[in-house]
Amino acid sequence: MADYEENEQQMDCALDLMRRLPPQSVEENLVTLLEVLPELTEDLLAAVDQPLKVRQDAHSGKEYLVCDYNRDGDSYRSPWTNTYDPPLADGNVPSERLRKLEASANDAFSTYKDLYYEGGVSSVYLWDMDESFAGVVLIKKVNDGTVRSKGSWDSIHVVEVLETGRQARYKLTSTVMLYTVASGARGDRQSEINLSGSLTRQDERELLVEDPNAHVANIGRMVEDMEFKMRNSLQEVYFGKTHDIVNGLRSATDLGETKTRERLQRDLFGQLKGRKD
């Protein structure tokens, strides 16, 4: 019992540490952590989200994303051809019904990716469960076109679907890993600014399912809404807070003018409140 509680505490501390470290260094930090806590290797590998990697389907020529959800042993399944690389004769594949749904979802999110990301790579993987099915939507966009700035956005949306007649309950768990790096005027690292972090959110909805393809539309709307909210949160946390800190250290305008403007705003607010009363 004592060993179990100790492992649980170590696991909580390890996950808390990984959440506070830069997402672009998660692989190196995870390897170091596994060297310190080898007994938690399996649990940590399953719990820690890592930046998505890109592969190319040898048959279709299309790129796809790899992660634990499309891995079987040392092979990864392509969502475009439903084949494993390296080849695997008895690899796990979705049922025929689910495979059709998976193909439709990949086409839909490829369009979604082009609309919102103007590029990048997307992949959708579905798998059968006892009562229904589950899946994951993966999106990655890397911007490294200039010397002075680069960044990466990784979205991992895991959805569990419970079908009940003409309705279905969707449980969505979304994680976004973001990092941006901006160098100085001459590209030197001494004046480099690095903003990075990750965010995880959940959502549950019960939606109408008139036909099997309705699952794609329902999941698509949930992912779209979730990414919109998470993007705004990341912008407020990382860029809004940075702006407030810089303004607190050195104002961009005359402080006298700023104080006068604030005093006028307070007076106006007081007058409006007095009229309401």
Side-chain angles (χ1 to χ4, degrees):
M1 184 67 179
D3 291 340
Y4 175 78
E5 292 179 354
E6 183 179 356
N7 286 343
E8 285 290 307
Q9 186 177 8
Q10 289 178 338
M11 185 68 178
D12 291 340
C13 292
L15 292 176
D16 185 60
L17 176 63
M18 291 301 299
R19 280 192 291 268
R20 298 172 187 273
L21 294 172
Q24 70 267 29
S25 305
V26 66
E27 292 176 295
E28 295 87 340
N29 294 329
L30 184 58
V31 170
T32 303
L33 197 58
L34 294 178
E35 292 176 353
V36 179
L37 299 170
E39 65 276 10
L40 298 179
T41 297
E42 186 175 345
D43 293 333
L44 284 172
L45 288 175
V48 176
D49 290 314
Q50 302 184 49
L52 302 168
K53 294 184 178 180
V54 181
R55 283 197 176 188
Q56 187 173 38
D57 190 309
H59 301 285
S60 67
K62 294 182 178 180
E63 292 182 325
Y64 64 97
L65 298 169
V66 300
C67 63
D68 280 344
Y69 296 104
N70 69 319
R71 181 173 63 88
D72 193 339
D74 295 327
S75 300
Y76 293 93
R77 183 171 67 89
S78 166
W80 306 113
T81 57
N82 202 29
T83 57
Y84 277 90
D85 180 30
L88 194 63
D90 56 348
N92 292 320
V93 294
S95 61
E96 183 178 352
R97 163 188 173 258
L98 209 58
R99 173 56 191 161
K100 291 180 180 179
L101 191 64
E102 183 182 76
S104 298
N106 273 285
D107 290 337
F109 276 98
S110 180
T111 302
Y112 170 89
K113 172 255 302 179
D114 291 336
L115 289 173
Y116 283 97
Y117 291 85
E118 295 184 349
V121 184
S122 66
S123 296
V124 181
Y125 302 101
L126 304 179
W127 56 90
D128 295 276
M129 297 181 68
D130 292 337
E131 297 182 358
S132 191
F133 69 93
V136 63
V137 179
L138 310 173
I139 302 174
K140 184 180 185 72
K141 174 68 180 293
V142 178
N143 175 26
D144 55 0
T146 65
V147 177
R148 293 178 55 185
S149 65
K150 61 180 179 178
S152 175
W153 172 291
D154 291 65
S155 293
I156 304 173
H157 304 278
V158 181
V159 59
E160 299 176 26
V161 183
L162 179 61
E163 296 173 306
T164 54
R166 296 187 62 185
Q167 286 189 322
R169 175 167 289 278
Y170 303 86
K171 181 179 180 181
L172 180 67
T173 302
S174 299
T175 298
V176 169
M177 291 177 283
L178 169 71
Y179 86 85
T180 60
V181 178
S183 301
R186 287 177 288 181
D188 59 312
R189 299 196 61 182
Q190 292 182 350
S191 57
E192 185 176 87
I193 300 175
N194 188 328
L195 295 176
S196 59
S198 62
L199 195 65
T200 299
R201 293 290 184 268
Q202 287 187 329
D203 186 22
E204 284 194 44
R205 298 184 191 179
E206 191 166 318
L207 301 171
L208 185 66
V209 182
E210 296 180 344
D211 59 79
N213 284 329
H215 286 301
V216 177
N218 291 341
I219 294 172
R221 280 194 297 270
M222 291 184 68
V223 169
E224 183 180 24
D225 292 344
M226 180 64 79
E227 287 206 334
F228 180 77
K229 294 176 183 176
M230 295 179 78
R231 185 197 178 281
N232 288 342
S233 296
L234 287 166
Q235 180 173 333
E236 180 180 350
V237 170
Y238 292 110
F239 303 105
K241 294 295 183 183
T242 302
H243 183 267
D244 292 342
I245 292 171
V246 172
N247 281 343
L249 295 172
R250 204 285 187 188
S251 176
T253 59
D254 183 88
L255 289 176
E257 294 180 3
T258 302
K259 291 180 179 179
T260 301
R261 191 182 303 112
E262 291 177 351
R263 185 173 63 253
L264 291 173
Q265 289 175 347
R266 287 196 300 268
D267 293 343
L268 181 59
F269 178 76
Q271 292 176 8
L272 293 173
K273 186 177 180 182
R275 291 182 178 179
K276 289 183 179 179
D277 296 339

